[in-house]
């Protein structure tokens, strides 16, 4: 079992025991996080970022880790999330393997990794854990919670379960509930891992590792993270050079797109713990803001308390389709919140928020620039 | 190795040797087909149907096999493809395991199943084999060739390689070339089969069979054959009844959509030969009408000879997206052919042509009803 902890990580212990929504508790659990910028004297300039399934807390370079982060062009001095103005916190999700406690972490009760003994993980647990980090950093009120992809679910759960903690919210390619197409994709990814004989019911080792299952899961992920439109222009029907293909094998890598998937898979399979992947993946299926608030999804959204919100989506996203961000904005507006819906024409599909900074940057920057100062400051 | 041959199948031997486009030959190969209706004295009322990857030749019930076929509501007396008027031939694809020769068939040179010793299969080989069946049945000129999905590729290849054989063409959810998204999906399906240790480089048996790989491949197929939109309405977030789920396993079947996929997979995995699946799947990746005609895809289409054509597609199809049927119609028109493009608003995705008969039926019926009698009859 391996955890992949960025060198700049800081840690905050969760309350022990930490009760999980679906039952079970964690003892001695912790959250990894990183920060950028400085917290104002009145604590009113804090932004929390909650992430998609796989990212760590290293969203961008900072004093503790100068290497570029996964959202480097978006976060820093003078960037769309301007750390000259904002104090930004990014947490690694509870259940992940990148510093926060998850199935790959040691269970203090046994001295062994949790593996499948980790309690069932929900998006709400991740939200509670992130809220605890915020409080432990002395932040009474967030100027904004930004959630990408799975983090868009986490942010909504945080807003629902911790009313008043966030003044505003930017939901980026997120969703208020999981729908059957994305459940089906994730179910198949999990099945690929679980069908790999090396998975061994979660008891794999580095030497006997479900590499095939992880490869399949990652490739299917990449297929659904991007878009057919982008790939038409990017790969078309281009073949690999003959020295990069095995012409003896009619089923081997031949097209550039196959090589691209293979490269993504190779980089991923040993950099993310398979059991953590299963838990985080399933937590998304279970999420429906309507379930945690009572009533349906729209009712759940209408109960949320915020001053302002923005839901951004992309026409080419098949995993978190545009209608889901529209639903978030509509639902929040039905609850009296000043909520905007911003559909972008990015060709890159779900991953657009990571790469199409030309569109996402101004959208996020404009929203944050227009935020009025916190009305009551630290007294919140 | 098992072949799955519908009881009403008839057979026509291919020329022996039968030369394959990418090299290699078949000896003693045959094609399975079924027919409906009666051939006119002048032979002018014949329609050929070429199919998607998995169907057999039993498109509908007939005198030889009263069981419903895979296109039952579309084909028969008084139906959209009206067998009171038309003599209809449906062939099982070359390379399949449903009566036509394929990797699961016995290689007469060895007395053993071909398995991976089957020569590389191309869409063009399937087209040549289908054209041979047409000729062997005494048909000099087809009133129409109808191709669905992969069959839409096969039909275009047939038109390109056998000019004058078909007067008209209906392309249903087909494509003039494979694009990277569908190549990626198929590549992953093949990888699922090939990564299954039971695949054993094609040398599986009924007792040691790559069931997991086939299950994964089929589930991914079903996901891409339908649409997110349809599933939202059909499954939503409905859970299985508690007696149908294993609440002890957080990763077991819980949502209706997961059970639906599992049911599809179970029905398929032992009803289609894995090696045949690999060959047919790869043949689609390789197809580009521009390659077999010289020049690009549009140039390839513009060279085709037809009197009239119709390309039908569906907005929700992610595997053969609507732009591909638009490209077919545009390309044929650029060559001076009276070609129409008909986008339908079916919610069912790529599979709409199998289930949304309310939309596809009239479209096909209207095209066929408007066909003028063959100008020169048998003399073609």
């Amino acid at each position: 079992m391996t955890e992949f902890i960025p060198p700049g990580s800081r840690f905050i212990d969760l309350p022990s025991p930490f009760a999980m929504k679906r039952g079970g508790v964690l003892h001695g659990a912790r959250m990894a996080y990183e920060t950028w910028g400085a917290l104002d004297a009145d604590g009113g300039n804090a932004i929390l970022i909650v992430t998609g399934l796989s990212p760590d807390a290293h969203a961008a370079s900072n004093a503790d880790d100068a290497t570029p982060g996964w959202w480097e062009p978006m976060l820093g001095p003078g960037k769309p999330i301007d750390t000259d103005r904002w104090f930004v916190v990014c947490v690694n999700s509870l259940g992940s393997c990148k510093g926060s406690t998850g199935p790959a972490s040691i269970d203090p009760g046994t001295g062994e990794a949790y593996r499948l003994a980790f309690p069932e993980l929900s998006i709400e647990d991740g939200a509670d854990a992130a809220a605890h980090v915020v409080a432990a950093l002395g932040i009474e009120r967030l100027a904004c919670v930004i959630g990408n992809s799975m983090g868009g679910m986490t942010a909504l759960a945080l807003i629902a379960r911790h009313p008043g903690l966030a003044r505003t919210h930017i939901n980026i390619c997120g969703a208020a509930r999981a729908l059957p197409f994305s459940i089906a994709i994730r179910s198949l990814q999990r099945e690929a891992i679980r069908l790999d004989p090396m998975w061994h019911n979660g008891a794999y080792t580095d030497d006997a590792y479900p590499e095939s299952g992880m490869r399949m899961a990652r490739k299917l992920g990449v297929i659904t993270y991007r878009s057919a439109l982008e790939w038409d222009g990017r790969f078309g029907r281009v073949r690999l050079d003959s020295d990069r293909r095995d012409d003896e094998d009619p089923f081997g890598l031949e097209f550039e797109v196959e090589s691209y998937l293979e490269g993504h898979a190779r980089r991923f399979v040993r950099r993310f713990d398979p059991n953590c992947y299963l838990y985080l993946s399933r937590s998304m299926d279970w999420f429906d803001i309507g379930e945690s608030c009572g009533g349906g999804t729209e009712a759940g959204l209408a109960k949320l308390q915020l001053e302002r919100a923005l839901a951004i989506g992309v026409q080419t996203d098949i995993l978190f389709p545009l209608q889901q961000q529209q639903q978030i904005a509509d639902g929040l507006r039905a609850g009296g919140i000043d909520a905007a819906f911003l559909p972008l024409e990015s060709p890159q599909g779900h991953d657009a928020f990571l790469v199409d900074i030309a569109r996402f940057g101004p959208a996020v920057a404009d929203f944050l620039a227009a935020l009025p100062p916190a009305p009551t400051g630290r007294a919140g």
Side-chain angles (χ1 to χ4, degrees), chain A residues 284-368:
Chain A
M284 280 189 266
D285 295 353
W286 285 328
F287 185 67
D288 182 347
I289 192 75
E291 285 177 357
S292 59
C293 291
T297 307
E298 283 76 8
L301 287 165
K303 287 182 185 173
L304 299 185
Q305 297 173 28
L306 290 166
E307 293 172 20
R308 194 177 295 185
L310 171 65
I312 312 177
V314 163
Q315 184 69 51
T316 51
D317 187 344
I318 59 174
L319 203 57
F320 287 73
L322 204 54
Q323 304 92 285
Q324 297 209 276
Q325 295 89 49
Q326 171 105 56
Q327 179 184 48
I328 291 168
D330 289 350
L332 293 175
R333 266 200 303 276
I337 293 167
D338 173 11
F341 167 55
L342 180 62
L344 297 179
E345 297 198 342
S346 307
Q348 293 97 341
H350 184 62
D351 266 0
F353 70 90
L354 294 172
V355 291
D356 190 1
I357 304 301
R359 287 190 176 88
F360 277 85
V364 170
D366 291 351
F367 180 87
L368 294 177

Side-chain angles (χ1 to χ4, degrees), chain A residues 39-46 138-143 164-165 167 307 372-380:
Chain A
L39 189 61
D40 277 353
D42 68 358
N45 72 327
I139 300 161
E140 293 184 10
R141 198 132 200 242
L142 292 163
L165 182 58
R167 288 175 57 208
E307 293 172 20
T376 54
R378 186 176 283 274

